[in-house]
Amino acid sequence: MNTGTGKPLDVTIMGREFRVSCSDEDREGLLQAVAYLNKKMREIRDSGKVLGSERITVMAALNITHELLKARSKEGFDTEEFRRRIDHMQAMLDAAMPEQDKLF
C-alpha cells in the first residue's frame, strides 16, 4: 500500500466508508485486510459482549495483534517484512482518517 501516491480506493468497514490510497499491486492485499478486519469487528459486535464502535475497534485490534504475536513466535516467519507492512498500513490509515472525520 502506498500513501499519497496510489489511486483512491473506497472501502467499507462496519458500514462506514473510508477512502484510502493504494497502489495497484497492493490493492488485493488491502481488500483482504479490509475483509478480515470487517469480519473480526462483526464477530465482536454480534457476540453482544462489547458495545460501541470504538470499543469494538479496540477489541478487534487486540485480537488481531494477539494473532500476530502468536504467528511471530513461529519459526520461519519474516517478522521484519510483516512489521514493515503493518507500519505502512498504519501510515495509510493515519493519512485517511482526517479526511473521514470531515464526512461525519
Side-chain angles (χ1 to χ4, degrees):
M1 287 174 287
N2 210 343
T3 59
T5 60
K7 297 177 185 175
L9 176 65
D10 292 324
V11 298
T12 303
I13 300 172
M14 291 279 295
R16 287 190 60 188
E17 294 285 326
F18 298 91
R19 177 168 284 178
V20 295
S21 62
C22 164
S23 68
D24 287 338
E25 62 199 34
D26 290 330
R27 181 183 177 94
E28 185 59 35
L30 175 62
L31 291 173
Q32 289 176 358
V34 166
Y36 188 74
L37 176 59
N38 196 44
K39 175 182 170 241
K40 288 293 188 181
M41 290 179 71
R42 288 183 185 279
E43 286 172 359
I44 292 167
R45 181 200 62 197
D46 294 346
S47 75
K49 295 178 183 176
V50 180
L51 300 176
S53 61
E54 186 174 309
R55 289 178 185 257
I56 291 170
T57 302
V58 170
M59 291 306 298
L62 285 171
N63 289 338
I64 293 169
T65 301
H66 182 254
E67 291 172 6
L68 166 66
L69 293 174
K70 281 176 44 178
R72 252 174 61 176
S73 68
K74 295 180 182 179
E75 290 185 50
F77 186 75
D78 185 359
T79 58
E80 290 304 313
E81 172 61 20
F82 199 74
R83 182 174 291 129
R84 282 189 294 276
R85 293 182 73 189
I86 293 293
D87 289 344
H88 189 70
M89 283 188 257
Q90 181 64 48
M92 281 186 58
L93 289 171
D94 289 344
M97 290 308 290
E99 293 299 317
Q100 299 304 313
D101 290 339
K102 294 176 187 175
L103 297 175
F104 299 98

